[in-house]
Amino acid sequence: MAAGGEMAAKIIDGKAIARDIRAELKAEVEALKAKGVIPGLAVILVGDDPASQTYVRNKEKACKEIGLYSEVHRLPASTSQAELLSLVEELNAKDDIHGILVQLPLPDHIDGDAVLNAIKPEKDVDGFHPVNMGKLAVGERGFVPCTPNGIIELLDRSGVEIKGKHAVVVGRSNIVGKPVSLLLLARHATVTICHSRTPDLGYHTRQADILVVAVGRPEMVTGDMVKEGAVVIDVGVNRVGKKLVGDVEFSSAAERASMITPVPGGVGPMTITMLLKNTVEAVR
Ligand code: NDP
């Protein structure tokens, strides 16, 4: 118990939760292998963006750790859209590939939506295909985008009740804000979605029992914008000098929140873990 202005919030340890889930997945993969199936993930990386290269390497490593088959197709930045589409078609047809992921961003001369839409929805482990987004919106089972799925897992595994709570989501991107809002709604939260045209953001965030921030602006949500006892999920990853900081000012928010995710070590480790989970589920 903290007293006198010290940090009161419990820290949600995304690394530890991700480790638990990966151990469960490893057991599932072993069971599948015993039946003669090895879940396979194909990753396509176009160009040589250093951040994307790191993400892809981390994905490869994570697959290996739990025994998934993975292959990475590294293509030059000059790859044409037609070449990329034909690779996607080839992978769509392969029986030993259960999941296909195209690392974003793609070079400017390629129409990213056209490429994502070419992935078979049954192999779309990133959950970005409009068919999977549509299923999420109408409440059918499909692939759910990894970061939003990871956020729900963090809440569940931290014992946070979602039903009946007021969840406020800051950010409405297709990758995070929008899908996490739909997931919270499906779990019977009352959901408010804020974005760059929301006047008086603090008015809304101060109502949140569960506050999810996915904006991409270092420490924009400060402690005075957090309701006493709220659960705060900070999705932001911002490089400030040599440090990584979230979209939430951790020290002041932790004084008011009951639980909070750190950056790094909160939402981040969950994203790849949910990709592994979707790939294992793709076998079914
Ligand atoms: P986008 O840039 O796609 O979306 C940002 C959202 O924030 C937009 O909806 C935008 O509103 C809103 N916004 C911008 N400024 C404000 C403001 N002043 N007040 C309120 N809302 C605002 O970002 P992403 O959703 O892709 O990512 C968000 C953050 O999460 C980034 O830091 C990213 O690095 C991180 N991230 C982390 C992941 C992880 O695994 N940990 C995975 C994915 C992302 P509008 O729509 O009106 O423009």
Side-chain angles (χ1 to χ4, degrees):
M1 279 294 124
E6 283 168 40
M7 190 179 81
K10 176 181 177 288
I11 292 182
I12 298 178
D13 186 347
K15 258 189 178 164
I17 293 173
R19 208 181 298 130
D20 289 348
I21 298 172
R22 289 185 197 197
E24 293 163 22
L25 288 171
K26 194 172 179 191
E28 273 188 60
V29 172
E30 273 156 21
L32 284 169
K33 277 188 181 161
K35 290 190 211 154
V37 190
I38 303 175
L41 174 69
V43 177
I44 304 176
L45 172 62
V46 185
D48 40 34
D49 175 59
S52 294
Q53 284 178 337
T54 306
Y55 294 144
V56 167
R57 262 200 310 276
N58 290 342
K59 286 168 186 173
E60 252 184 309
K61 204 173 130 226
C63 283
K64 211 177 217 157
E65 268 167 28
I66 69 153
L68 296 186
Y69 168 72
S70 72
E71 58 185 39
V72 180
H73 298 262
R74 291 186 169 80
L75 306 177
S78 60
T79 303
S80 72
Q81 176 151 334
E83 284 167 327
L84 186 51
L85 286 173
S86 82
L87 174 59
V88 170
E89 283 311 324
E90 200 183 295
L91 295 168
N92 276 343
K94 277 178 94 173
D95 288 338
D96 59 336
I97 295 299
H98 302 89
I100 302 171
L101 178 151
V102 178
Q103 184 65 44
L104 301 175
L106 288 167
D108 289 342
H109 67 277
I110 292 175
D111 174 358
D113 285 340
V115 175
L116 294 184
N117 294 2
I119 298 172
K120 240 188 183 174
E122 301 80 38
K123 295 193 177 188
D124 168 41
V125 284
D126 248 345
F128 295 155
H129 193 288
V131 164
N132 285 317
M133 286 293 228
K135 285 188 172 179
L136 179 59
V138 296
E140 275 180 40
R141 211 185 144 84
F143 286 116
V144 176
C146 299
T147 302
N149 212 358
I151 292 169
I152 302 294
E153 281 280 353
L154 281 181
L155 294 171
D156 283 345
R157 289 181 186 241
S158 304
V160 176
E161 170 136 64
I162 299 173
K163 185 172 153 187
K165 297 292 167 60
H166 188 177
V168 176
V169 177
V170 188
R172 57 171 163 182
S173 71
N174 288 335
I175 305 181
V176 189
K178 224 181 269 175
V180 81
S181 303
L182 289 167
L183 288 170
L184 290 162
L185 186 62
R187 294 286 297 273
H188 311 296
T190 301
V191 182
T192 300
I193 307 172
C194 304
H195 46 78
S196 68
R197 319 301 154 82
T198 301
D200 198 355
L201 182 63
Y203 167 81
H204 296 281
T205 60
R206 274 189 291 273
Q207 321 276 318
D209 302 312
I210 299 171
L211 177 61
V212 179
V213 189
V215 173
R217 284 170 165 247
E219 298 177 328
M220 72 167 293
V221 170
T222 45
D224 59 303
M225 296 166 75
V226 174
K227 177 169 139 180
E228 199 74 49
V231 175
V232 178
I233 305 289
D234 187 356
V235 186
V237 181
N238 309 289
R239 191 167 287 280
V240 174
K242 281 191 172 165
K243 252 182 84 186
L244 283 187
V245 300
D247 290 344
V248 175
E249 187 182 68
F250 185 86
S251 55
S252 61
E255 281 177 21
R256 313 251 305 202
S258 61
M259 294 188 199
I260 187 167
T261 58
V263 177
V267 174
M270 296 299 288
T271 298
I272 292 188
T273 304
M274 292 299 111
L275 171 69
L276 302 174
K277 189 168 189 219
N278 279 350
T279 305
V280 173
E281 271 173 20
V283 173
R284 295 202 209 103

